[in-house]
Amino acid sequence: MEFQLNFLASTADERVKRHLKRFSFLIYLIIFGATVFILVRTHQSQTYMAHVFEGMNADIEGKISSVEPRMLFLERKIGQRNRLRKESDTFLQPRTRPAVWRKILIDITKALPPDLVITKIYTKPKPTKRNQKDEGPDLTIEGYTYIEGGNRDILSVDNFRGNLLFSLPLSTLYSDIKVENNRIYKEEDQLKLVFALGLYQ
């Protein structure tokens, strides 16, 4: 009787062990299959992205190769234009032509606020000596305005300068405009503002 119980107990233990082995093998098989699946999908996604990037690079290189001759052509044209522009300043002399000066005076009068008065417009004299420094503005505009006796704006000089910065051909002939003089003093019973604008090439 005892032998039979031991035999049944050992048989049950072997079944449990076999069952555990099968279950463990199934778990290992599932883990291995999931790992292989993840690796395969990762490899597929990386291969797909590599193909996408290769296609994009090929497309970009094709566009660059198609545009590059045009860019070289434009660079040559721009170089020719810049050389001709430098030579045109020498041959055409735009700053000494009467028609250009007429246009400059018209632009100055259009940009002038109604409360300002221009008294003098003059260019910088050429240096007489070799060691004399070439300083000062290339073109100077002098004038005045009265602050009292009406709605006078003390910022009218700055407004005048701002208008000149956007006028043609002044904006192309002169690169900078500075307020050289802007002082106020009393003349009789009114305050008089005297200004001078310097235009630099």
Side-chain angles (χ1 to χ4, degrees):
M1 187 69 181
E2 291 179 359
F3 177 76
Q4 185 176 2
L5 289 174
N6 290 333
F7 178 75
L8 292 175
S10 61
T11 303
D13 291 338
E14 289 180 358
R15 288 180 180 176
V16 170
K17 289 179 181 179
R18 285 198 301 269
H19 182 70
L20 290 175
K21 287 181 181 180
R22 290 175 182 175
F23 183 73
S24 300
F25 177 77
L26 180 62
I27 291 175
Y28 290 146
L29 184 63
I30 292 172
I31 294 173
F32 179 75
T35 305
V36 172
F37 177 77
I38 292 171
L39 291 175
V40 170
R41 295 297 297 175
T42 303
H43 177 71
Q44 289 178 351
S45 62
Q46 290 179 351
T47 304
Y48 174 75
M49 293 301 296
H51 287 304
V52 170
F53 282 120
E54 287 178 0
M56 292 175 64
N57 289 333
D59 187 23
I60 293 172
E61 289 178 358
K63 291 180 179 179
I64 291 174
S65 61
S66 64
V67 173
E68 189 174 4
R70 302 177 189 174
M71 295 298 295
L72 295 175
F73 176 76
L74 289 176
E75 287 179 359
R76 288 195 297 268
K77 289 296 183 183
I78 291 172
Q80 293 176 1
R81 185 198 65 182
N82 292 336
R83 288 193 297 271
L84 291 175
R85 180 176 291 176
K86 291 180 180 179
E87 294 174 355
S88 65
D89 290 339
T90 302
F91 292 106
L92 297 178
Q93 299 178 358
R95 294 180 180 87
T96 58
R97 296 174 66 88
V100 177
W101 273 102
R102 178 177 176 273
K103 185 65 171 64
I104 289 175
L105 295 176
I106 291 174
D107 287 344
I108 290 175
T109 55
K110 287 182 178 180
L112 183 67
D115 54 342
L116 292 183
V117 177
I118 294 177
T119 57
K120 188 186 296 184
I121 299 176
Y122 58 93
T123 59
K124 177 176 59 178
K126 294 182 179 180
T128 56
K129 298 180 181 179
R130 293 183 179 179
N131 58 358
Q132 186 176 356
K133 293 183 179 179
D134 190 12
E135 297 179 350
D138 298 285
L139 181 67
T140 304
I141 303 174
E142 294 182 356
Y144 68 91
T145 183
Y146 289 102
I147 298 177
E148 297 178 352
N151 295 325
R152 304 296 186 182
D153 187 5
I154 61 174
L155 300 177
S156 57
V157 178
D158 292 331
N159 296 333
F160 183 35
R161 175 182 173 273
N163 294 334
L164 292 177
L165 287 173
F166 294 99
S167 64
L168 295 173
L170 288 174
S171 60
T172 57
L173 296 177
Y174 301 96
S175 60
D176 192 14
I177 301 176
K178 298 179 180 179
V179 179
E180 302 292 336
N181 183 17
N182 192 11
R183 58 189 177 89
I184 299 175
Y185 65 93
K186 193 169 185 180
E187 184 179 84
E188 296 179 355
D189 293 333
Q190 292 182 332
L191 293 178
K192 186 176 182 180
L193 186 148
V194 179
F195 70 91
L197 293 179
L199 286 75
Y200 295 83
Q201 294 180 0

